[in-house]
Amino acid sequence: MSGLPQYEYVKLADQIAADIGSGRLPAGAALPSERAMTELYSVSIGTVRRAVRELRDRGLVATLPAKGTFVVGSE
């Protein structure tokens, strides 16, 4: 399965998860805004949104309406 191409949102989620796992993004840290992440990672806003959803599904982040997305755990 490693020979199959990986979706961009999964790559982005994996990259952010690695930052969380390494402590670069500690518990309680806020992720950049969606717009900031589009520029930071050179991806579309749809890719950012799917990556954040993936991170929520993994239990690594939580999104608070009108507040932002925050790290809640690590892999």
Side-chain angles (χ1 to χ4, degrees), residues 24-46:
R24 187 164 172 237
L25 285 171
L31 265 59
S33 69
E34 289 179 346
R35 289 213 186 275
M37 282 196 277
T38 62
E39 294 177 16
L40 183 63
Y41 297 106
S42 300
V43 295
S44 71
I45 196 150

Side-chain angles (χ1 to χ4, degrees), residues 52-66:
V52 170
R53 187 177 329 136
E54 175 73 17
L55 291 167
R56 275 197 308 265
D57 291 346
R58 295 182 193 183
L60 297 175
V61 300
T63 301
L64 303 173

Side-chain angles (χ1 to χ4, degrees), residues 4-33:
L4 296 175
Q6 198 174 31
Y7 291 110
E8 284 300 312
Y9 78 93
V10 175
K11 290 180 189 177
L12 178 57
D14 287 347
Q15 185 174 356
I16 295 169
D19 287 344
I20 293 169
S22 72
R24 187 164 172 237
L25 285 171
L31 265 59
S33 69

